[in-house]
């Protein structure tokens, strides 16, 4: 079945970086963009950016431009999202989700989420 | 940038109808999408392109649009519908996306 499976919980110190993985299965990776959305405790969903796994093109929310990098390894059907210069406000659950490339129909499949805690 | 505004909470008795609004200038030109998020779980898409329902989503979920406001309607609310609901939209090519502030639906 169609699945997005994310890597496990991370605990990082302020100033460090974290890289979260999202492994896709059950569908053609290059037919869907992979989006990253985060949710701080008790807060709204927040769109961070996306990648076209086929050609590697990316777009980032202005808020995260320069501090977030999304990459892919098509041979491993995996997309990665790295956040650098972590601060306490980056403590959140990070989700990956897919959306059709040719026409956007919303994010129809989501990963289970990865909890990232930033604490000294 | 875009902003989408939702009421913080909606309360409804079982079997009644819940209506959740989402307002924003971009909604007069772009489609809205709705996600349900139960506590501790990942979001689930319940409505796309203002009023279309993905396969597997119960018929009691419906969406509508008028001007700069879109509405998610849950008819015959059940206890399992208690969750946070988020609207989402973006620019014309869905390159840049935005979520609303979320609405907590409480089933009394």
């Amino acid at each position: 079945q169609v699945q997005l499976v994310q890597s496990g919980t991370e605990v990082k110190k302020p100033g460090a970086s974290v890289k979260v993985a999202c492994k896709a299965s059950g569908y053609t990776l290059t037919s869907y963009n992979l989006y990253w959305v985060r949710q701080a405790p008790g807060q709204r969903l927040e769109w961070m950016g996306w990648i076209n796994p086929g050609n590697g093109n990316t777009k980032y929310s202005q808020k995260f431009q320069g501090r977030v990098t999304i990459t892919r390894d098509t041979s491993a059907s995996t997309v990665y999202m790295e956040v650098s210069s972590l601060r306490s406000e980056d403590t959140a659950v990070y989700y990956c989700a897919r959306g059709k490339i040719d026409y956007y129909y919303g994010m129809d499949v989501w990963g289970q989420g990865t909890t990232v805690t930033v604490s000294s | 940038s875009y902003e989408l505004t939702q009421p913080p909470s909606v309360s409804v008795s079982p079997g009644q109808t819940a209506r959740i609004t989402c307002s924003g200038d971009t909604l007069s030109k772009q489609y809205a999408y709705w996600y349900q998020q139960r506590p501790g779980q990942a979001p689930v898409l319940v409505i796309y392109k203002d009023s279309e329902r993905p396969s597997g989503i119960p018929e009691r979920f419906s969406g509508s649009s008028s001007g700069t406001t879109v509405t998610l309607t849950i008819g015959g609310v059940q206890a399992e519908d208690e969750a946070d609901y988020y609207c989402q939209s973006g620019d014309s090519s869905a390159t840049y996306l935005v979520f609303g502030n979320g609405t907590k639906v409480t089933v009394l």
Side-chain angles (χ1 to χ4, degrees), chain A residues 103-104, chain B residues 2 26 29-31 33 89-96:
Chain A
Y103 190 88
Y104 185 72
Chain B
Y2 310 100
T26 191
K29 300 180 288 292
Q30 310 307 333
Y31 287 121
Y33 304 79
S89 189
D91 64 354
S92 57
S93 56
T95 299
Y96 297 96

Side-chain angles (χ1 to χ4, degrees), chain B residues 8 17 19 21 24 26-27 37 44 59 63 66 72 74 76 79 90-91 99:
Chain B
T17 297
R19 293 182 178 84
T21 58
T26 191
L27 297 177
Q37 187 180 33
V44 173
E59 290 184 9
S66 179
L72 174 68
I74 312 172
D91 64 354
F99 287 93

Side-chain angles (χ1 to χ4, degrees), chain B residues 20-97:
Chain B
I20 306 164
T21 58
C22 173
S23 300
D25 289 343
T26 191
L27 297 177
S28 64
K29 300 180 288 292
Q30 310 307 333
Y31 287 121
Y33 304 79
W34 289 95
Y35 300 87
Q36 175 195 66
Q37 187 180 33
R38 295 189 175 109
Q41 296 186 21
V44 173
L45 179 69
V46 294
I47 292 290
Y48 65 96
K49 288 177 63 179
D50 289 349
S51 59
E52 301 292 324
R53 198 172 47 249
S55 60
I57 299 301
E59 290 184 9
R60 63 180 182 274
F61 288 89
S62 63
S64 61
S65 175
S66 179
T68 59
T69 298
V70 294
T71 302
L72 174 68
T73 300
I74 312 172
V77 166
Q78 301 181 7
E80 67 196 49
D81 300 329
E82 188 162 282
D84 293 327
Y85 291 82
Y86 292 90
C87 61
Q88 178 255 301
S89 189
D91 64 354
S92 57
S93 56
T95 299
Y96 297 96
L97 307 182

Side-chain angles (χ1 to χ4, degrees), chain A residues 1-5 23-29 32 77 98 109:
Chain A
Q1 73 278 29
V2 176
Q3 280 191 99
L4 296 173
V5 178
K23 184 173 176 60
S25 62
Y27 73 95
T28 302
L29 180 69
Y32 291 80
S77 297
R98 75 169 196 176
V109 177

Side-chain angles (χ1 to χ4, degrees), chain A residues 3 10 14 26 33 38 51 53 59 64 69 75 97 103 109 117:
Chain A
Q3 280 191 99
E10 301 269 10
N33 286 331
R38 80 176 187 182
I51 187 168
K59 286 294 182 189
F64 298 104
T69 305
S75 66
Y103 190 88
V109 177
T117 301

